[in-house]
Amino acid sequence: MTLSSASASVPDLLRLVAIPVFAWVAILDVRTRRVPTAVWIPLGALGAALLAWDARVAYRADVFAWEAFLIPAALSLGFVVPLAYLFWWFGGFGGADAKALLVLALLFPVVPTYAVGGWTLPVAPGGEAVPFSLTILANGVLVGLAIPAVLAVRNAAAGRIAPVMLVGWPVAVERVTTTHGKLLETPDGMTLGGLDLDALRMYLRWRGLTLAELRADPARYRDPDSLPDEPNPPTDGAVEAASVLPDGGETISEDPTGGDGDAAAIEAATGETDDEDPWGAAAFLDSIEGSAYGTSATDLRDGLAVLAEKETVWISPGTPFLVPLFAGLLIALVYGDLLVTLIV
């Protein structure tokens, strides 16, 4: 089957550039949980240019074409854009998720049309007044809601029955330092708000420790007196980061976060510790700039206590929303509006 430009405008054809870009950022987000801001700039600029192009064509056509364009375009920019910002503001979206939705609001304000063989896509585009960007978002949400069901079936089939089987799976404890997500266990049992694994990597790098070293002698490293005099910069918790010296010290390669370690703050935080700060958790959090992904000292202590003792732990992969959003984009372009189909 071939894509025909006979029923697809030039702007609609150019909008297909979003497919490989969103595929790449979805894979990148799964692997690293980091998406460069620069990736959205050219895509957003393209969306703004195509939006102006479509507006000019619709305005010059007739009043009906102009209204058919103006209503969904206005809703895309006036509703979807603020919605993305609000989701980010209240913590429902990460920064990359919000930027992706902003780009989609610019790129897909109205329903595009493509001819593939004898088919006209999307098959079920939904209401004409509904912004196509909102259709993509709704599809992505539906795909995201299906993920817990898939996890539950996968865990049940493997005989892994637990209260958190809808949101995670068990892994060998050695794998947590190369995995993104959250620990779903505390010394008191299962939880949905456990230690962020990026924060764990930050803490270990700050101390100049490996998880294996901590597990080999947990009593020693639980004592806050074991904190290094000159901790390493914690980095941003990415799996791949600059090398650090054991037991603290200066970095031996550039800190990817651009930080300088703030030696005075670290010394102030670690110079006077006592037994009321197991693992030096509070000292670590006090010494870093900003927040370790919302991790509290209690979260860190509970997570370290679990990781020091257990061989297998439950974690949540925390599937990035860019993955279901990319799936929602593909579904919208090929099929159309899943939510309208389910409701009707």
Side-chain angles (χ1 to χ4, degrees):
M1 294 192 298
T2 59
L3 185 65
S4 170
S5 60
S7 62
S9 66
V10 173
D12 282 350
L13 291 174
L14 291 175
R15 287 182 171 99
L16 295 178
V17 171
I19 295 177
V21 174
F22 270 78
W24 176 67
V25 296
I27 293 171
L28 189 63
D29 209 11
V30 168
R31 291 179 175 175
T32 69
R33 294 300 197 273
R34 275 106 183 132
V35 176
T37 299
V39 74
W40 305 116
I41 297 175
L43 207 56
L46 175 64
L50 297 180
L51 180 66
W53 187 337
D54 278 344
R56 182 170 177 269
V57 171
Y59 184 76
R60 289 186 169 186
D62 54 57
V63 65
F64 299 106
W66 174 242
E67 289 181 356
F69 166 82
L70 185 61
I71 294 174
L75 288 174
S76 188
L77 299 179
F79 177 72
V80 177
V81 169
L83 186 66
Y85 179 78
L86 286 175
F87 278 158
W88 171 79
W89 179 263
F90 289 106
F93 274 175
D97 302 330
K99 292 167 189 172
L101 192 52
L102 292 174
V103 165
L104 288 173
L106 284 170
L107 270 174
F108 293 101
V110 297
V111 179
T113 303
Y114 305 99
V116 181
W119 296 81
T120 298
L121 305 180
V123 177
E128 292 184 359
V130 177
F132 196 63
S133 56
L134 190 59
T135 294
I136 296 169
L137 174 60
N139 288 350
V141 170
L142 290 176
V143 172
L145 291 175
I147 292 176
V150 173
L151 284 174
V153 170
R154 173 184 174 182
N155 284 320
R160 303 187 295 251
I161 308 299
V164 292
M165 61 187 293
L166 276 72
V167 294
W169 57 71
V171 300
V173 72
E174 292 83 5
R175 291 180 54 194
V176 299
T177 55
T178 56
T179 303
H180 293 284
K182 282 194 173 184
L183 185 65
L184 296 177
E185 297 187 43
T186 71
D188 298 323
M190 298 293 185
T191 179
L192 295 178
L195 174 62
D196 189 290
L197 300 185
D198 281 7
L200 170 67
R201 281 183 286 274
M202 292 174 66
Y203 170 81
L204 293 174
R205 289 164 185 164
W206 180 79
R207 293 201 62 164
L209 285 177
T210 65
L211 183 59
E213 289 170 335
L214 184 145
R215 284 170 51 81
D217 196 354
R220 172 189 172 187
Y221 294 114
R222 189 179 185 279
D223 184 351
D225 288 338
S226 67
L227 292 175
D229 293 330
E230 297 183 27
N232 292 284
T235 78
D236 66 350
V239 171
E240 300 294 334
S243 300
V244 295
L245 291 175
D247 195 24
E250 299 179 356
T251 54
I252 58 178
S253 61
E254 182 182 357
D255 174 13
T257 64
D260 58 8
D262 196 356
I266 293 175
E267 182 177 357
T270 62
E272 294 183 7
T273 56
D274 54 38
D275 291 338
E276 295 182 358
D277 184 19
W279 304 102
F284 160 68
L285 293 172
D286 288 343
S287 75
I288 65 174
E289 296 181 5
S291 168
Y293 304 98
T295 300
S296 68
T298 299
D299 293 335
L300 183 53
R301 290 172 187 139
D302 286 348
L304 291 170
V306 169
L307 295 171
E309 299 296 331
K310 292 199 170 184
E311 299 298 327
T312 302
V313 292
W314 280 79
I315 66 165
S316 169
T319 304
F321 187 62
L322 282 178
V323 175
L325 193 61
F326 171 59
L329 171 62
L330 293 181
I331 294 169
L333 289 171
V334 175
Y335 176 76
D337 198 320
L338 282 177
L339 184 60
V340 170
T341 300
L342 292 174
I343 293 175
V344 176

